[in-house]
């Protein structure tokens, strides 16, 4: 048999070895060709009496990264077209049949009458993992990096090729729900413990072990197809089932606020499916999958969190014609918490790092911080001591600026003060090598004004990290008016090397992310001064889809820093540039009450000593509110909308101001940078999926009631009048320029 994506060979024992190897791709994915060929392989091996069993494996480092989501996006486009041309019933039927193909193909493996073994040689995620679950036996090659899982929930989908039915028939329902609803991948030891794989063998013995199981009389019947099969957690309507499902529903509500159709569908699929025979259960799963695929949440999340993020990670904004760059040695000036963290992620990526500070003791503290981060990973079993030793050996701590001389990239991460930064630039510039790029990690000060202190502005750029650097995936790259293409390419290649997602923005006070998130924090302050109960402010924000409430976020950022930024903005732009009531509130909290936020365990919240309970809203807050509103008279839906609209309208302003020039970056940046409700697809997708006309009407309603912060920009008003969307008016460039490998 000859196939494009699979190699097929049969040995003397009649065992077929099916090796997945999509040409021209670093990883296998379930695409149109793969599923067509897999269907044919199952059909032919089932019909061929000479074939005694089948082993499926991969010739790449990973088994399979999952389904090709661009194919699913194509299915959604076909659905929209059919809906227009042939109506809802016909469109639904076609989508149901298309979305069921994987499920039916995998079920045909299970019922083929021939024993199938998945020989898992690396990463197996999503649809790739679902293939292995449909095999009668699963054996994995020993590899500490291998991960297995079903991450579909993270892009607004759920495992629709049998995952919601096979997993809870293999593992207890509590564990199954964790795997399905969190989407986290597990290592081989955990997978073996849960019986999701049957054996782990040395890599050189993988195929032999798979074939030996077939030769040893391996059964070609799935456990749930055998008479008398019992669910690992017992029937749904049993004592254990009743302990699981009502509690699970409560946890689901607490975690999602019912914002994610895919999460709700998983609960329904498992609950309904476990009461049915497997074929009926798989049909139920397919119906829910079709329903979720039609949702705006899935469309938005697939576009932003998969397609757009993938394009940005591959260098969609990298200037064409600049040869690949590689930062071999990096200097970070300022070895405080942020600078030390930048040093850590860089050293972890294999880059030599120099941490420079005003004295040796301060520089050494930065290196100690980097060591403490990996020590924490070692304590959790996520890293080994040898890795720590290698990482720490890449970091040099010094007070000597001469260490900058052979560095390819220098990142300044000193205090947010113009004079401190100017002094740093004056000391650093004479020592830089000719082709070195210099970057500022400023979070608020405009890059153009900082670049005035720099002799060669073409080599000056902003690289804005988010805290904590080790966990936050976004990096904002800020272009000054004179920043050159080489500086941009170097910054993008460096960000790719350290495994972060970059967005490129033009200079502006607060750039993109801080402009939007400061609106969120300010809206919390507005509600506080209006007299909305603090707990209600926090809870409605989380109900809207934000990861933390605005008062909590203020504490995390630090109230004294927020006040410092307000004062700096006022000094630069005058008293009308800031909200004086907010400044007065911050002065009361910081200067009179000594409450700086989490860092001194006192802010909007009181923080317990480490390990001694949870934070709680400070009881003195009520005394700082000019008035108190009755929560029963407040419109919860309106409070939720205010939080999202105020950020989205600011994002629209950044497009009008040419701070954002690629709509993908606003969406990806808003989700990764400050947690804007992921189910919306990001700030601009939130507007697009609501409809610009309806969004502008909502802006005007809030403008009349709450003030000019909700005033829609002229661009948005014009788009609403024409019925335009951001992705329609500003379509992203399809051509992707590959950055340095």
């Amino acid at each position: 048999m000859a196939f494009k994506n699979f190699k097929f060979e049969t040995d003397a024992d009649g065992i077929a070895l099916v090796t997945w190897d999509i040409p021209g791709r670093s990883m296998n994915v379930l695409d149109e060709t793969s599923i067509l060929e897999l269907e044919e392989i199952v059909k032919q091996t089932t019909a061929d009496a000479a074939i005694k069993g089948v082993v499926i494996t991969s010739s790449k480092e990973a088994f399979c990264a999952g389904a090709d989501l661009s194919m699913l996006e194509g299915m959604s486009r076909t659905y929209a077209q059919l809906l227009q041309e042939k109506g809802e019933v016909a469109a639904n039927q076609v989508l149901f049949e298309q979305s069921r193909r994987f499920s039916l193909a995998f079920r045909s493996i299970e019922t083929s009458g021939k024993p199938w073994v998945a020989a898992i040689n690396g990463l197996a995620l999503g649809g790739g993992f679902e293939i292995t679950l449909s095999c009668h036996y699963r054996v994995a090659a020993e590899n500490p990096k291998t991960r297995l899982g079903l991450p579909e929930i993270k892009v607004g989908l759920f495992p629709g090729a049998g995952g919601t039915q096979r997993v809870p028939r293999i593992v207890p329902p509590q564990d199954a729900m964790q795997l399905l609803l969190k989407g986290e991948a597990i290592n081989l030891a955990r997978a073996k413990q849960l019986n999701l794989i049957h054996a782990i063998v040395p890599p050189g013995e993988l195929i032999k072990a798979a074939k030996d199981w077939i030769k040893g009389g391996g059964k070609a019947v799935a456990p749930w197809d055998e008479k008398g099969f019992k669910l690992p957690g017992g029937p749904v309507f049993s004592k254990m089932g009743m302990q699981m499902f009502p509690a699970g529903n409560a946890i689901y509500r607490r975690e999602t606020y019912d914002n994610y159709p895919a999460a709700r569908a998983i609960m329904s699929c498992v609950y309904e499916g476990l009461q049915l025979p497997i074929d009926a259960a798989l049909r139920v799963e397919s119906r829910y999958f079709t329903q979720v695929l039609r949702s705006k949440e899935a469309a938005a999340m697939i576009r932003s969190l998969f397609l757009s993020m993938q394009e940005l990670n591959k260098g969609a904004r990298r200037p064409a014609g600049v040869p690949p760059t590689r930062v071999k040695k990096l200097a970070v000036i300022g070895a405080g918490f942020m600078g030390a963290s930048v040093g850590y992620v860089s050293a972890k990526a294999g880059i030599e790092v120099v941490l420079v500070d005003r004295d040796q003791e301060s520089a050494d503290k930065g290196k100690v911080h980097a060591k403490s981060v990996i020590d924490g990973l070692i304590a959790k079993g996520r890293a080994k001591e040898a890795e720590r030793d290698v990482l720490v050996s890449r970091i040099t701590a010094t007070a000597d600026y001469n260490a900058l001389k052979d560095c390819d990239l220098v990142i300044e991460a000193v205090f947010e003060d113009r004079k401190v930064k100017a002094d740093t630039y004056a000391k650093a510039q004479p020592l830089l090598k000719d082709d070195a790029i210099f970057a500022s990690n400023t979070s608020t000060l405009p890059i153009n004004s900082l670049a005035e202190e720099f002799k060669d502005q073409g080599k000056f750029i902003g690289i804005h990290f988010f805290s904590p650097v080790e966990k936050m995936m976004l990096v904002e790259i800020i272009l000054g008016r004179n920043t050159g293409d080489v500086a941009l390419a170097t910054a993008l290649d460096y960000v790719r090397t350290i495994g972060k997602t970059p967005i490129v923005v033009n200079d502006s006070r607060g750039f993109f992310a801080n402009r939007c998130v400061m609106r969120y924090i300010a809206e919390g302050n507005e509600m506080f001064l209006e007299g909305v109960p603090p707990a209600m402010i926090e809870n409605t924000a989380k109900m809207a889809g934000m990861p933390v409430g605005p008062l909590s976020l203020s504490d995390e950022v630090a109230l004294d820093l927020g006040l410092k930024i307000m004062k700096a903005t006022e000094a630069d732009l005058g008293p009308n540039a800031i909200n004086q009531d907010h400044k007065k509130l911050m002065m009361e909290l910081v200067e009179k009450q000594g409450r700086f936020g989490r860092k001194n365990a006192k802010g909007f919240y009181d923080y317990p000593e480490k390990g001694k309970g949870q934070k709680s809203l400070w009881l003195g807050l009520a005394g700082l509110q000019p008035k108190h509103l009755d929560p029963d008279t407040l419109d919860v839906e309106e409070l939720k909308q205010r939080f999202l609209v105020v950020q989205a309208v600011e994002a629209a302003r950044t497009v009008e101001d040419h701070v954002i020039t690629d709509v993908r970056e606003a969406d990806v940046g808003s989700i990764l940078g400050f947690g804007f409700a992921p189910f919306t697809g990001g700030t601009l997708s939130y507007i697009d999926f609501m409809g610009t006309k309806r969004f502008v009407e909502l802006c005007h309603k809030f403008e009349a009631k709450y003030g000019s912060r909700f005033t829609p920009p002229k661009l948005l008003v014009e788009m609403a009048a024409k019925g335009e969307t951001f992705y329609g008016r500003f379509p992203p460039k399809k051509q992707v320029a590959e950055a340095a490998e």
Side-chain angles (χ1 to χ4, degrees):
M1 301 179 194
F3 300 99
K4 184 184 172 189
N5 287 359
F6 294 93
K7 294 169 190 162
F8 188 98
E9 52 192 302
T10 310
D11 67 13
D13 295 308
I15 297 173
L17 179 63
V18 177
T19 307
W20 205 347
D21 187 13
I22 300 182
R25 294 194 76 144
S26 58
M27 277 198 184
N28 294 319
V29 291
L30 271 166
D31 56 9
E32 187 66 38
T33 304
S34 291
I35 196 64
L36 266 170
E37 293 186 352
L38 193 60
E39 286 168 338
E40 187 57 32
I41 287 166
V42 177
K43 191 191 295 182
Q44 291 187 25
T45 54
T46 302
D48 190 342
I51 290 177
K52 307 303 179 194
V54 182
V55 175
I56 183 167
T57 191
S58 161
S59 67
K60 300 187 188 294
E61 277 187 26
F63 181 79
C64 174
D68 179 2
L69 292 188
S70 54
M71 178 177 70
L72 296 182
E73 195 193 34
M75 284 163 57
S76 297
R77 283 197 300 270
T78 302
Y79 170 78
Q81 192 179 339
L82 283 169
L83 189 64
Q84 210 170 11
E85 293 171 3
K86 297 189 177 179
E88 192 172 4
V89 174
N92 286 349
Q93 186 63 40
V94 169
L95 189 63
F96 175 68
E97 286 165 5
Q98 283 183 329
S99 61
R100 253 203 116 187
R101 278 184 67 195
F102 289 173
S103 184
L104 290 172
F106 298 171
R107 181 61 175 152
S108 69
I109 288 173
E110 211 164 51
T111 58
S112 65
K114 301 286 174 76
W116 275 65
V117 180
I120 305 164
N121 60 307
L123 187 87
L125 298 177
F129 186 42
E130 286 177 292
I131 289 180
T132 74
L133 294 175
S134 68
C135 292
H136 306 102
Y137 189 72
R138 294 171 290 283
V139 57
E142 203 169 359
N143 183 345
K145 293 182 179 177
T146 294
R147 294 291 181 271
L148 310 176
L150 299 163
E152 287 89 340
I153 192 75
K154 294 179 179 181
V155 289
L157 294 171
F158 70 90
T164 69
Q165 300 311 313
R166 292 188 179 95
V167 170
R169 282 169 169 79
I170 296 170
V171 304
Q174 291 91 335
D175 293 315
M177 286 304 196
Q178 288 280 322
L179 287 164
L180 294 165
L181 287 169
K182 288 196 169 180
E184 289 170 1
I186 56 173
N187 61 24
L188 290 179
R190 179 65 176 148
K192 173 85 164 53
Q193 187 185 26
L194 291 171
N195 205 33
L196 290 165
I197 55 173
H198 300 99
I200 302 169
V201 300
E205 297 174 22
L206 181 64
I207 304 304
K208 181 181 182 300
K211 289 184 174 184
D212 283 350
W213 183 81
I214 294 171
K215 287 192 275 189
K219 286 175 73 175
V221 183
W224 36 89
D225 285 323
E226 297 206 69
K227 196 174 179 182
F229 169 71
K230 286 184 168 53
L231 293 166
V236 169
F237 291 100
S238 66
K239 188 177 178 182
M240 193 184 284
M242 285 300 96
Q243 285 174 347
M244 158 62 200
F245 285 100
N249 191 47
I251 293 166
Y252 153 76
R253 290 273 174 180
R254 184 190 71 195
E255 296 295 319
T256 71
Y257 294 98
D258 211 20
N259 285 323
Y260 295 86
R264 174 188 269 261
I266 285 170
M267 295 290 292
S268 299
C269 282
V270 175
Y271 177 74
E272 293 172 32
L274 291 185
Q275 299 177 62
L276 297 167
I278 187 71
D279 286 304
L282 290 170
R283 237 181 354 263
V284 165
E285 179 190 73
S286 294
R287 292 194 185 284
Y288 276 112
F289 188 77
T290 308
Q291 185 181 37
V292 167
L293 201 55
R294 286 161 44 204
S295 70
K296 66 180 183 183
E297 290 85 356
M301 289 177 77
I302 289 171
R303 182 171 71 186
S304 294
L305 291 173
F306 181 76
L307 299 172
S308 293
M309 200 153 96
Q310 196 175 61
E311 287 157 9
L312 295 177
N313 284 337
K314 284 182 176 178
R317 293 300 309 280
R318 194 179 189 280
V322 179
T325 68
R326 186 165 166 239
V327 174
K328 293 177 184 174
K329 192 168 185 180
L330 166 79
V332 182
I333 305 176
F337 178 73
M338 180 64 84
S341 298
V342 171
Y344 165 78
V345 297
S346 303
K348 190 181 177 190
I351 298 170
E352 293 293 318
V353 175
V354 180
L355 289 179
V356 184
D357 215 311
R358 62 183 176 274
D359 53 56
Q360 190 62 45
E361 186 184 354
S362 301
D364 287 340
K365 277 183 184 173
K367 185 167 180 175
V368 168
H369 170 74
K371 181 177 175 292
S372 71
V373 174
I374 196 161
D375 280 342
L377 295 176
I378 291 168
K380 292 173 185 171
R382 294 181 190 166
K384 293 180 179 175
E385 290 189 11
E387 293 174 64
R388 176 192 62 200
D389 297 342
V390 171
L391 186 147
V392 172
S393 73
R394 292 192 186 115
I395 302 175
T396 303
T398 183
D400 185 1
Y401 270 65
N402 282 304
L404 305 181
K405 285 181 176 178
D406 58 347
C407 292
D408 309 300
L409 173 65
V410 178
I411 299 176
E412 164 269 299
V414 301
F415 202 59
E416 284 286 277
D417 182 289
R418 287 185 188 282
K419 186 174 185 318
V420 175
K421 290 185 185 293
D423 291 346
T424 302
Y425 302 165
K427 286 172 76 174
Q429 282 187 78
L431 300 168
L432 300 179
K433 64 178 186 176
D434 288 345
D435 58 348
I437 302 301
F438 195 95
S440 174
N441 177 51
T442 181
S443 56
T444 53
L445 299 172
I447 288 297
N448 285 322
S449 62
L450 294 178
E452 288 170 9
E453 305 292 333
F454 212 79
K455 186 179 171 187
D456 187 351
Q457 293 186 19
K459 292 175 182 172
F460 190 89
I461 195 165
I463 301 181
H464 175 212
F465 289 86
F466 295 79
S467 185
V469 177
E470 303 89 61
K471 292 181 181 175
M472 297 296 283
M473 292 308 298
L474 187 75
V475 175
E476 207 171 22
I477 294 174
I478 305 106
L479 297 176
R481 67 174 70 90
N482 297 317
T483 302
D485 281 354
V486 173
L488 173 57
T490 302
L492 286 167
D493 292 351
Y494 162 69
V495 169
R496 188 180 189 189
T497 299
I498 62 172
K500 305 288 185 187
T501 295
I503 62 168
V504 180
V505 303
N506 286 320
D507 193 26
S508 147
R509 183 172 289 274
F511 317 127
F512 168 72
N514 279 343
R515 271 183 67 166
C516 296
V517 81
M518 294 312 282
R519 289 285 178 186
Y520 173 60
I521 288 173
E523 200 60 26
N525 291 343
E526 287 285 351
M527 290 180 184
F528 182 83
L529 295 171
E530 285 168 20
V532 179
M536 196 170 188
I537 295 170
E538 297 291 85
N539 287 333
T540 51
K542 287 189 278 188
M543 289 166 74
M546 298 301 292
V548 295
L551 308 182
S552 183
L553 185 58
S554 286
D555 277 2
E556 295 294 335
V557 170
L559 303 183
D560 59 332
L561 176 61
L563 179 58
K564 186 177 177 61
I565 291 168
M566 280 185 192
K567 287 181 175 179
T569 305
E570 188 175 28
D572 280 359
L573 304 174
N576 292 333
I578 63 162
N579 186 307
Q580 294 296 330
D581 290 335
H582 292 195
K583 180 186 169 188
K584 188 178 168 188
L585 172 63
M586 287 302 119
M587 287 175 71
E588 174 68 35
L589 282 162
V590 174
E591 296 176 355
K592 293 185 182 175
Q593 302 291 338
R595 304 185 75 86
F596 302 159
R598 181 183 273 280
K599 70 180 183 182
N600 79 332
K602 294 186 297 182
F604 282 104
Y605 285 80
D606 281 322
Y607 296 85
E609 287 181 46
K610 201 168 183 182
K612 293 188 179 177
Q614 293 183 318
K615 67 182 183 182
S616 56
L617 284 160
W618 177 42
L619 294 176
L621 287 178
L624 302 186
Q625 290 185 282
K627 56 184 175 178
H628 300 94
L629 299 175
D630 178 357
D632 289 339
T633 65
L634 298 173
D635 184 338
V636 169
E637 209 53 43
E638 184 172 283
L639 292 175
K640 285 164 58 179
Q641 283 182 325
R642 279 173 64 182
F643 281 124
L644 299 186
V645 170
V646 79
Q647 295 177 80
V649 79
E650 186 64 24
R653 290 186 193 112
T654 68
V655 176
E656 184 173 78
D657 296 345
H658 304 291
V659 173
I660 285 288
T661 57
D662 187 314
V663 289
R664 294 171 294 190
E665 293 178 310
D667 279 343
V668 172
S670 61
I671 295 173
L672 296 189
F674 49 94
F676 187 85
F679 66 89
T680 65
T683 45
L684 299 184
S685 281
Y686 174 67
I687 298 171
D688 276 5
F689 280 99
M690 182 186 292
T692 44
K693 186 171 183 287
R694 189 175 152 221
F695 181 81
V696 165
E697 286 168 0
L698 197 53
C699 285
H700 286 315
K701 175 189 163 187
F702 289 162
E703 179 188 18
K705 204 169 177 182
Y706 300 109
S708 61
R709 64 188 181 276
F710 289 104
T711 305
K714 286 179 183 175
L715 169 69
L716 198 52
V717 173
E718 181 189 308
M719 287 169 61
K722 294 178 180 176
E724 292 177 326
T725 63
F726 279 100
Y727 279 79
R729 178 158 176 160
F730 307 103
K733 292 174 186 172
K734 288 296 172 192
Q735 193 175 356
V736 173
E738 281 287 343
E741 286 295 340

